[in-house]
Amino acid sequence: MGKRFNSGARTGVVIVGAGPAGLVLGNLLLDHGIDCVILERRERKAVEGRARAGFLAAHSVRVLTQHGLAEGLLTRGRSHRTCLFRSEQGEFTLDYGQLGRGEVHTVYPQQELVRDLLAEYLRRGGEIRFDAEVEEISEGRVRVRDGADVTGRYVAGCDGHRGVGRAALAALGTRTARRDHGVSWLAVLVAAPPSLAAVGYALHARGFAGHMARTDTVTRYYLQCPRGTDPADWSEDRIWTELATRLRTAEFGPLKDGPVLETAVVDLRSDVLDRPGTGRLWLAGDAAGLISPSAAKGANLAVLQAERLAEAFARVLNHDDDSGLARYAADCLPRVWRAHEFSHWMSTLLHGPSAEDTDEAEARYGRALQYARLDSLRTSRTHQDFFAENYTGI
Ligand SMILES: Cc1cc2nc3c(=O)[nH]c(=O)nc-3n(C[C@H](O)[C@H](O)[C@H](O)COP(=O)(O)OP(=O)(O)OC[C@H]3O[C@@H](n4cnc5c(N)ncnc54)[C@H](O)[C@@H]3O)c2cc1C
């Protein structure tokens, strides 16, 4: 344990948001002996029940293990090393655990990770206020909806891509690089065991479909859908029929079905802030950049950034050395951009013709490129190594 930071009534770091970024940051700051408080707008039950990510990269597992935050995922998570692609040309499987750097994923539902991180944060003596929506951040002062003011030497905006942290930083002149991938996914969580031993990616003229294990009894599916889709228009029957068509069950065997637990529409958008902080306000996770879910990188980038930001805060608060904060962007951005580059590549592989392909000839060209990419991945060992290294890497 490092020296406990104490500056009178002020907290060392006020953290806005109790997602993976805020909770990893909070735990690591406590490790460094730095006082912090987390302000979270939702109730505890809602925070602990929000099902999103599931695939943790080896780097995230290493960071969480090093800091004593991995007990749950190491005991209940499952190692995952294969993915398969289906299309009108058949099916092939990549054992990515044997390709590239030989790294694998650990499948562990995000809500379970959040539950573990929160329990550990409280066990370490951390302070958190639920139902505390932050309305404004200015000069280290955070105003909560109920009228309370909380002041910190620093504020960490870990409040997602629609949060106030990002808005406050934009007012300080940060620029955003942005891409709208022009497609949406119906994200479906079902109470059924995984149907495939691998992550499944299906390319189909009706749109992409995806299959991702979560636990022995819960599976996530995705269906590409038009922008503006209302999840209420998708009955259980319609979901299973569409999944069966796009995952080509007539050719490859049936899916294990079960009740649909949750549906939501995710618009595939990505953005990156050129400067994830300045002065007393610093951002991590989706607040610092949103990445489309096509390569399952968001929670992993949140862990990376929280780790780097915790180091930087520890340096400045415990040793009066702000070089870590000055380096924070340069430390993270090259890896963030590699994740975005790969995620964008995955998006073009999975979705085929883009929004810019406006006429039939352009759509045909886009579809042909998609199949050329798939064929290259199926046949080229060099391409497979590139895929594996980027798929599992952060
Ligand atoms: C369907 C889906 C599947 C995904 N699958 C994967 C995957 O397999 N692997 C992967 O790595 N990533 C995946 N992601 C992305 C991943 O879930 C996110 O990148 C991750 O949650 C980001 O963590 P975060 O802590 O930055 O933000 P969040 O998890 O969004 O947490 C932000 C927190 O801040 C709180 N908050 C917001 N505003 C305020 C406010 N004003 N005041 C106080 N609190 C506030 C919110 O309530 C929330 O609890 C997926 C995302 C989706 C939508």
Side-chain angles (χ1 to χ4, degrees):
M1 273 291 254
K3 171 167 69 78
R4 183 159 283 269
F5 172 77
N6 187 350
S7 92
R10 280 194 307 188
T11 303
V13 182
V14 180
I15 301 171
V16 185
L23 287 165
V24 170
L25 179 63
N27 272 291
L28 269 51
L29 290 178
L30 293 177
D31 252 3
H32 285 291
I34 293 168
D35 284 337
C36 53
V37 57
I38 301 181
L39 303 172
E40 165 57 51
R41 74 168 172 191
R42 294 169 191 246
E43 291 177 357
R44 179 169 182 171
K45 204 168 153 212
V47 170
E48 292 186 324
R50 193 167 173 230
R52 293 180 92 192
F55 276 68
L56 291 172
H59 176 268
S60 306
V61 175
R62 275 196 295 274
V63 169
L64 295 168
T65 305
Q66 261 167 25
H67 295 279
L69 300 170
E71 200 187 316
L73 76 90
L74 293 177
T75 45
R76 294 191 300 281
R78 288 192 317 192
S79 173
H80 203 102
R81 54 184 304 140
T82 51
C83 60
L84 72 77
F85 293 86
R86 279 184 187 167
S87 71
E88 64 195 36
Q89 296 174 351
E91 177 186 280
F92 67 92
T93 302
L94 288 183
D95 182 352
Y96 59 81
Q98 294 220 34
L99 297 161
R101 292 211 186 92
E103 293 193 324
V104 299
H105 288 114
T106 300
V107 180
Y108 192 57
Q110 180 167 325
Q111 68 275 26
E112 293 197 31
L113 177 65
V114 162
R115 238 175 272 155
D116 296 349
L117 292 172
L118 178 57
E120 185 56 25
Y121 177 75
L122 293 171
R123 199 193 63 74
R124 292 179 188 190
E127 187 187 346
I128 182 163
R129 295 190 211 161
F130 292 101
D131 228 347
E133 178 160 1
V134 170
E135 290 188 324
E136 199 186 323
I137 302 171
S138 170
E139 291 294 314
R141 193 176 58 83
V142 174
R143 191 159 46 76
V144 184
R145 193 184 204 125
D146 63 9
D149 268 355
V150 186
T151 309
R153 281 278 301 273
Y154 291 96
V155 177
C158 301
D159 49 348
H161 72 287
R162 289 206 187 90
V164 286
R166 188 180 260 228
L169 199 59
L172 300 175
T174 301
R175 287 182 313 165
T176 308
R178 176 180 305 125
R179 167 71 46 102
D180 183 339
H181 302 279
V183 291
S184 300
W185 287 359
L186 183 74
V188 185
L189 207 60
V190 302
S195 298
L196 309 167
V199 179
Y201 298 105
L203 279 53
H204 198 281
R206 294 177 65 81
F208 157 73
H211 159 284
M212 271 129 229
R214 283 296 186 255
T215 67
D216 288 342
T217 53
V218 174
T219 306
R220 173 125 3 244
Y221 288 95
Y222 293 113
L223 285 166
Q224 182 181 346
C225 58
R227 191 53 63 82
T229 292
D230 180 354
D233 292 340
W234 284 80
S235 65
E236 294 209 8
D237 271 358
R238 185 174 174 203
I239 288 170
W240 285 114
T241 305
E242 198 61 32
L243 283 170
T245 304
R246 297 191 196 180
L247 282 155
R248 298 170 195 274
T249 55
E251 210 174 324
F252 298 107
L255 302 174
K256 294 177 182 157
D257 64 4
V260 171
L261 300 171
E262 211 181 281
T263 53
V265 169
V266 185
D267 294 335
L268 271 67
R269 294 196 169 99
S270 303
D271 60 34
V272 180
L273 304 190
D274 65 344
R275 214 163 35 123
T278 184
R280 292 168 71 179
L281 175 61
W282 295 83
L283 308 185
D286 282 7
L290 177 71
I291 185 162
S292 87
S294 47
K297 299 286 185 197
N300 292 294
L301 291 178
V303 172
L304 166 77
Q305 289 168 327
E307 183 209 22
R308 296 300 156 99
L309 193 54
E311 280 297 319
F313 280 145
R315 225 172 237 274
V316 70
L317 289 170
N318 287 341
H319 305 289
D320 215 14
D321 167 3
D322 65 2
S323 61
L325 286 175
R327 263 202 329 267
Y328 175 56
D331 268 0
C332 296
L333 281 176
R335 293 164 86 176
V336 168
W337 275 115
R338 273 196 67 173
H340 276 258
E341 194 281 321
F342 182 69
S343 199
H344 181 255
W345 180 87
M346 276 296 276
S347 183
T348 57
L349 174 71
L350 301 179
H351 302 123
S354 72
E356 286 100 59
D357 297 328
T358 46
D359 67 26
E360 245 180 68
E362 283 176 334
R364 259 199 306 279
Y365 188 84
R367 178 87 50 216
L369 284 188
Q370 180 188 24
Y371 275 86
R373 258 178 224 123
L374 187 67
D375 200 44
S376 174
L377 189 58
R378 183 177 63 81
T379 55
S380 159
R381 172 64 199 246
T382 308
H383 201 158
Q384 291 169 358
D385 283 327
F386 164 85
F387 173 84
E389 186 176 325
N390 286 280
Y391 191 51
T392 56
I394 280 293

